[in-house]
Amino acid sequence: MWKSGWLSRRLFATALVVACTSIGWGICAPQASAQLLTLARRVNLNVLVLSAGDVGTDMVKAGLREGGVPFTEINLNAANRQKITDAFLADAASLFVKRGKFQAIVTPNEAPSALSAAEKASLDKYQREFKVRRLSTYVWPSIAIGLNGPTWSGPFDGFTANVNAAGKASSFGYLNGPVPFDNNDPAISETYGYLALPLPADTVNKRSFTSLVDVPIPLTTASGTLLGVWNDNGREEMVITCAINQYQFQQQALFQGILNWLTY
């Protein structure tokens, strides 16, 4: 008897949704419950890593494994790889719940060439809908991510990075001092990267860049961004402006903050 009653209620709810979809929610809304009108959002605890055989995503994968964080990897260089679509990123968990399949996204840079325009659009849409953050592991500073062009480029060996006030207030508050970069062999370039200054906030298009970790720019009195967050009208993307590998001290020092930010 109970099962029959449950089935009747289920069929009634389904019929109501179909009817409201057919004739318009504005007509049905006064009679329908609020639950029928709003899909809840749920996000799986899994990180999507789009790799390209690059040092940055390899660094992140090592950190995720060390922290016991589950992730799904897609090799962007594979000919038969999974395509990134709306359906791949999210689905309907039930009649009233839409499920995001990934709690965070990791990419080699801000615009991987192996992704089509449609795939990039799906990633952007997914981020905004589910408030999912993204990490681009090694970028060239540009207007596309809220930075000026590089003020300096070259090896970071022996440099010192500093977590600024925004970084301490964000996810790097556990660091009590500066982060020195490895310089194990003066004859070998161990870390290459770029230093640049953030562009002014674009209040019209709701875009801004917040630097979290800075490095003094050689031969100047200014500091350039090593790591920061690009807010693109509600879509958040953390970027790193140098190539860090999984074996370096700077990775061990900074990765906890990166992961804290990426996964909330």
Side-chain angles (χ1 to χ4, degrees):
M1 192 68 177
W2 179 88
K3 183 175 182 181
S4 175
W6 174 88
L7 182 58
S8 297
R9 290 192 296 273
R10 180 77 174 194
L11 290 173
F12 170 76
T14 303
L16 182 58
V17 170
V18 171
C20 288
T21 302
S22 300
I23 66 176
W25 280 111
I27 298 174
C28 257
Q31 291 78 33
S33 70
Q35 188 179 29
L36 289 175
L37 298 176
T38 304
L39 281 178
R41 297 292 190 271
R42 190 180 80 192
V43 178
N44 288 354
L45 300 182
N46 187 27
V47 177
L48 176 62
V49 179
L50 305 180
S51 66
D54 59 292
V55 64
T57 54
D58 283 348
M59 176 271 290
V60 172
K61 287 186 294 180
L64 294 175
R65 291 190 186 102
E66 184 176 355
V69 179
F71 67 91
T72 296
E73 180 182 6
I74 294 177
N75 181 358
L76 295 178
N77 295 327
N80 60 344
R81 69 168 174 85
Q82 168 68 51
K83 300 301 181 183
I84 309 301
T85 63
D86 294 350
F88 170 72
L89 296 170
D91 62 12
S94 71
L95 186 62
F96 308 123
V97 178
K98 189 171 183 180
R99 176 182 61 181
K101 299 179 184 178
F102 307 100
Q103 69 175 133
I105 299 166
V106 178
T107 54
N109 54 59
E110 78 283 3
S113 59
L115 291 175
S116 68
E119 289 178 304
K120 293 172 185 175
S122 287
L123 286 172
D124 288 355
K125 175 185 174 184
Y126 178 72
Q127 276 194 261
R128 290 191 171 96
E129 180 176 359
F130 288 90
K131 307 303 180 186
V132 165
R133 289 171 167 173
R134 171 174 166 177
L135 168 67
S136 291
T137 61
Y138 182 25
V139 302
W140 188 82
S142 72
I143 191 174
I145 49 173
L147 290 170
N148 284 285
T151 300
W152 186 90
S153 62
F156 278 42
D157 304 6
F159 280 14
T160 298
N162 300 288
V163 178
N164 59 33
K168 290 178 180 178
S170 176
S171 56
F172 295 91
Y174 62 92
L175 289 172
N176 294 321
V179 178
F181 272 63
D182 287 345
N183 189 19
N184 298 314
D185 187 343
I188 297 175
S189 176
E190 298 166 35
T191 303
Y192 192 93
Y194 311 93
L195 293 174
L197 301 176
L199 289 165
D202 179 353
T203 56
V204 175
N205 295 301
K206 299 180 181 179
R207 293 171 178 161
S208 62
F209 188 93
T210 302
S211 185
L212 303 180
V213 182
D214 302 322
V215 172
I217 301 173
L219 305 178
T220 76
T221 58
S223 289
T225 294
L226 166 73
L227 183 153
V229 175
W230 168 233
N231 192 316
D232 177 19
N233 193 14
R235 186 187 68 84
E236 294 182 293
E237 180 176 356
M238 178 178 281
V239 300
I240 304 173
T241 63
C242 71
I244 300 175
N245 71 52
Q246 60 186 292
Y247 305 105
Q248 295 174 315
F249 173 79
Q250 53 266 32
Q251 189 270 358
Q252 296 296 313
L254 294 172
F255 190 76
Q256 179 182 330
I258 293 170
L259 183 60
N260 288 347
W261 181 89
L262 188 62
T263 62
Y264 289 88

